[in-house]
Amino acid sequence: MEKQSTLFTGIFGAFIISCGVMVLLPSSQIGALQPQVTWDEGQNSPSDVYPVKLENALGRRPGQSVYAENGCFYCHTQQVRDPQYGADMERGWGVRRTVARDYIFQSVPLLGSTRLGPDLANFGSGTWRNEHHDDRRAPAKRDAAWIYKHLYSPKSNFPDSNCPPYPYLFERKDVGGQPSPDAVAVEGNHQVVPTADARNLAKYLLSLNSSHELKESPTVIKPKEAKK
Ligand code: HEC
């Protein structure tokens, strides 16, 4: 009889604990969040609800799928940690910590599992960087052309880069008249140009930006300082 009551207490206890951790705790953390509303200058009415739209709906295979299919998330996270848990912001990966609302438009949030490469949550924000303040290797800008070079041959941008190359996201084509401005290599009459997948992936990377302030996650580093 005593054994039975222990068993019952165990089962009941496990149920109560999991209910607390998986239902009540998340609900108390994010259940009371109010919609994020941006007012226009005249303070008349909310102008939009959320300023960020991910570059998701392009082409047959949107950039986010190309990112997922190629396993970028194995080495890259998309979550900036609070300063007390890590140096993400010091490294230039974001101006505030990431919160649940940042994934609101993503049916499959790609938070990532391990972090061998830099965090990409704010890659397209314009203030993202991956080098120290005095690093001479800092590129003038990381635009689509820069991303193509990185995807085709990461070592051409940074000789010690460990990011794997993705040459199959590119195709060889005849040069015709002028080589394309996006060509990553020109060999005689042939040029190596990005495929539609590479273009969508670049658009997706450039759309990654969660630097706008949110009520539950105020800006910690001012964007101007982040850019330095
Ligand atoms: C095996 C791990 C690994 C995988 C998989 C991987 N990366 Fe990387 N990536 C790295 C490492 C390490 C770095 C840091 C070295 C560097 O800056 O190039 C990096 C750097 C980068 C950078 C920043 C370069 C800079 O400094 O500006 C971008 C952007 C990037 N990777 C995109 C991608 C994309 C897109 C994919 C998928 C198509 C991908 N990575 C897959 C490891 C990986």
Side-chain angles (χ1 to χ4, degrees), residues 67 70-72 74-76 116-118 120 123 128 130 142 146 150-151 154 158 161-164 166 169 201 205:
Y67 184 91
N70 286 286
C72 311
Y74 284 122
C75 298
H76 293 285
L116 290 185
L120 298 177
F123 184 80
W128 188 91
N130 186 30
R142 290 177 163 91
W146 187 93
H150 176 80
L151 291 173
F158 297 125
S161 177
N162 293 332
C163 195
Y166 292 88
L169 292 177
L201 179 57
L205 289 174

Side-chain angles (χ1 to χ4, degrees), residues 66-135:
V66 184
Y67 184 91
E69 282 165 12
N70 286 286
C72 311
F73 60 86
Y74 284 122
C75 298
H76 293 285
T77 51
Q78 288 185 23
Q79 45 181 322
V80 177
R81 290 174 298 177
D82 193 86
Q84 61 178 318
Y85 300 122
D88 297 8
M89 293 184 205
E90 263 172 59
R91 290 182 177 131
W93 296 343
V95 292
R96 62 164 178 82
R97 76 189 173 97
T98 309
V99 288
R101 201 196 296 267
D102 287 312
Y103 305 104
I104 201 164
F105 285 114
Q106 305 184 34
S107 51
V108 185
L110 296 164
L111 280 77
S113 45
T114 47
R115 197 182 250 173
L116 290 185
D119 186 277
L120 298 177
N122 287 291
F123 184 80
S125 68
T127 55
W128 188 91
R129 58 185 161 76
N130 186 30
E131 50 272 316
H132 297 286
H133 302 249
D134 53 355
D135 197 333

Side-chain angles (χ1 to χ4, degrees), residues 22-214:
M22 293 191 284
V23 181
L24 300 179
L25 188 67
S27 156
S28 76
Q29 282 176 335
I30 54 176
L33 282 184
Q34 294 299 314
Q36 176 83 20
V37 170
T38 313
W39 293 76
D40 66 18
E41 278 176 12
Q43 298 288 299
N44 292 322
S45 58
S47 55
D48 65 1
V49 176
Y50 196 77
V52 170
K53 290 267 178 293
L54 268 185
E55 190 60 56
N56 248 344
L58 272 158
R60 267 186 312 126
R61 289 204 301 160
Q64 197 188 25
S65 319
V66 184
Y67 184 91
E69 282 165 12
N70 286 286
C72 311
F73 60 86
Y74 284 122
C75 298
H76 293 285
T77 51
Q78 288 185 23
Q79 45 181 322
V80 177
R81 290 174 298 177
D82 193 86
Q84 61 178 318
Y85 300 122
D88 297 8
M89 293 184 205
E90 263 172 59
R91 290 182 177 131
W93 296 343
V95 292
R96 62 164 178 82
R97 76 189 173 97
T98 309
V99 288
R101 201 196 296 267
D102 287 312
Y103 305 104
I104 201 164
F105 285 114
Q106 305 184 34
S107 51
V108 185
L110 296 164
L111 280 77
S113 45
T114 47
R115 197 182 250 173
L116 290 185
D119 186 277
L120 298 177
N122 287 291
F123 184 80
S125 68
T127 55
W128 188 91
R129 58 185 161 76
N130 186 30
E131 50 272 316
H132 297 286
H133 302 249
D134 53 355
D135 197 333
R136 296 224 185 111
R137 301 178 311 170
K141 59 177 175 188
R142 290 177 163 91
D143 53 6
W146 187 93
I147 295 175
Y148 299 144
K149 276 172 81 186
H150 176 80
L151 291 173
Y152 184 67
S153 163
K155 288 196 194 312
S156 67
N157 283 339
F158 297 125
D160 54 354
S161 177
N162 293 332
C163 195
Y166 292 88
Y168 54 83
L169 292 177
F170 295 81
E171 56 195 351
R172 273 166 73 91
K173 277 194 171 161
D174 287 345
V175 171
Q178 281 271 322
S180 152
D182 292 334
V184 287
V186 181
E187 297 147 5
N189 255 348
H190 291 101
Q191 57 178 340
V192 182
V193 287
T195 57
D197 277 0
R199 287 180 196 281
N200 288 347
L201 179 57
K203 280 192 181 130
Y204 169 71
L205 289 174
L206 290 172
S207 75
L208 293 174
N209 179 3
S210 52
S211 59
H212 56 281
E213 192 154 77
L214 288 180

